[in-house]
Amino acid sequence: RRWSVRNLHLAHRTGVADADLLQVPGEFHARVRSTLNPKALQPLLSGPAFDALMQFEFPDSPEIELEASGAELSREALEVNGQLKLGATSYRGVAAESMTATFHYADRALSIVPFRVQRREGSGQGGLRFEHLSDYFPEQRIGPNRFLPNAIVFPAQNGPLSQKDLMPRFGAAYDVF
């Protein structure tokens, strides 16, 4: 199935978003650039995403640029690269003057390396990598054949592996003078 969206332009009082999307059999590509305030997306979100967004305040709209490509539009098949630039922002009441981050998503792992936070007191930088590993067993069928007249069927199920791993790297600088 083929489809494409070129020069998509969304405007909101908090900023704009521009995107190009392409889906052809075996291939997906997207390019997105946005200066929309994420709070404008609140009506579209629910559950954990909504709760996480409510922890932030964005007096200045962030700049987000990303490119995504893969064999199909799914978490398993996509590779995403992008940058995030925030002006004044606060998280749970803790203010920051600015933040920048480069991110990469592939193989169900998100890397944010490097990120830099600037506050009145100084600056900090670091990196994070979050991975989620799991396994799955598809339905298995033995028989029927001449030795086993009735088939034995093992239903599809998730396996016992479900690991989440967060690997941080941090550094800090403090202005003494």
Side-chain angles (χ1 to χ4, degrees):
R1 184 166 153 196
R2 296 175 177 258
W3 58 268
S4 69
V5 177
R6 294 202 38 131
N7 299 322
L8 175 66
H9 181 77
L10 301 172
H12 185 267
R13 69 181 184 279
T14 64
V16 297
D18 295 300
D20 293 316
L21 309 165
L22 171 67
Q23 171 73 55
V24 295
E27 196 173 340
F28 174 81
H29 295 280
R31 182 197 56 78
V32 178
R33 186 175 194 289
S34 173
T35 58
L36 288 174
N37 188 319
K39 294 280 187 169
L41 303 175
Q42 278 180 303
L44 304 174
L45 302 174
S46 64
F50 179 82
D51 296 338
L53 184 59
M54 293 304 295
Q55 304 294 321
F56 286 91
E57 290 296 325
F58 301 98
D60 301 329
S61 292
E63 292 181 34
I64 301 170
E65 293 183 21
L66 68 87
E67 291 192 15
S69 61
E72 62 185 48
L73 182 55
S74 71
R75 289 187 305 180
E76 293 78 18
L78 278 181
E79 182 171 332
V80 181
N81 292 296
Q83 290 191 335
L84 171 67
K85 296 176 187 172
L86 295 171
T89 305
S90 67
Y91 177 69
R92 294 184 175 179
V94 178
E97 295 172 358
S98 67
M99 183 187 121
T100 59
T102 301
F103 59 90
H104 175 77
Y105 175 86
D107 299 323
R108 298 183 72 161
L110 174 64
S111 298
I112 304 171
V113 178
F115 74 81
R116 180 177 173 83
V117 177
Q118 180 69 43
R119 290 181 34 99
R120 184 175 43 85
E121 300 89 351
S123 64
Q125 58 186 343
L128 291 171
R129 181 173 171 86
F130 177 78
E131 294 185 63
H132 178 251
L133 302 172
S134 62
D135 55 3
Y136 171 80
F137 301 104
E139 179 181 286
Q140 300 292 315
R141 181 180 298 266
I142 302 172
N145 57 37
R146 66 182 181 165
F147 302 110
L148 188 63
N150 296 321
I152 299 173
V153 178
F154 299 96
Q157 62 184 351
N158 289 325
L161 177 65
S162 182
Q163 296 178 338
K164 295 178 182 169
D165 190 20
L166 181 64
M167 295 170 270
R169 291 183 216 148
F170 295 105
Y174 188 78
D175 190 3
V176 177
F177 300 103

